[in-house]
Amino acid sequence: MSGEVITQGVQRKPEDSTTNTTVEERDEELARLGSEMFNSVGYYLEGKLEGTAADYALLEAMNKLATDKYRDMADDAEHMASSMETLQRQYTELQPYLQKIDDVQVAVGSLEESVRMLSDYTSRLDTQLAQLSAELRQKR
């Protein structure tokens, strides 16, 4: 270890003109590498931030689309509710007429039953009349 100087636990060789050049080159290399490292870290962080910004922009666009879709669905639901109210009101207005139609249908059913019974009675009367006519012809 002859000729070496120890300063705060760091061994250094005595400086001469060739060592100064080496130290200066080393310092320049360290400065260049440090700068390159900081630039690389800066580019990395910038890329991460750009990616995050792109993610947020995508989320914002998706939220806008979802908002528009839900607004359209709300408008459709409102329109359907309005249409349902109109249909309900029209049905309520038609209800007396529908009841009259039902009453007429029941009356027609009763009338058809009466016609069937009358037809059966007429058929029996025709049969009896035919029998009586036949009996009268035989008696003559």
Side-chain angles (χ1 to χ4, degrees):
M1 280 212 318
S2 70
E4 294 181 357
V5 177
I6 298 178
T7 309
Q8 295 179 350
V10 176
Q11 289 182 344
R12 291 191 174 187
K13 293 186 180 180
E15 297 184 12
D16 61 11
S17 63
T18 58
T19 307
N20 274 342
T21 307
T22 307
V23 170
E24 288 174 4
E25 288 174 355
R26 188 182 67 204
D27 288 347
E28 288 175 10
E29 180 68 13
L30 285 175
R32 185 188 65 76
L33 290 173
S35 177
E36 185 178 316
M37 180 190 72
F38 283 119
N39 287 338
S40 295
V41 169
Y43 291 141
Y44 171 77
L45 292 176
E46 185 177 328
K48 281 293 200 177
L49 290 174
E50 286 174 358
T52 302
D55 288 346
Y56 284 131
L58 176 63
L59 283 173
E60 184 178 4
M62 289 171 59
N63 283 339
K64 184 182 179 322
L65 287 173
T67 300
D68 292 345
K69 183 69 173 174
Y70 284 124
R71 186 178 305 117
D72 290 345
M73 289 171 60
D75 291 345
D76 290 345
E78 186 177 318
H79 178 71
M80 283 190 280
S82 174
S83 295
M84 288 298 295
E85 288 174 5
T86 301
L87 287 173
Q88 185 63 37
R89 187 176 57 254
Q90 289 173 346
Y91 178 77
T92 302
E93 291 171 358
L94 287 175
Q95 189 60 37
Y97 300 108
L98 295 173
Q99 185 59 47
K100 287 181 182 179
I101 290 171
D102 288 343
D103 293 344
V104 167
Q105 186 177 3
V106 169
V108 166
S110 296
L111 194 58
E112 285 174 346
E113 180 63 23
S114 296
V115 167
R116 188 191 58 76
M117 290 173 59
L118 191 59
S119 178
D120 290 346
Y121 179 70
T122 305
S123 293
R124 284 195 312 266
L125 280 179
D126 281 342
T127 304
Q128 287 177 355
L129 182 62
Q131 287 175 353
L132 284 176
S133 294
E135 286 178 12
L136 279 176
R137 280 189 216 141
Q138 286 179 357
K139 288 186 181 179
R140 287 197 196 165

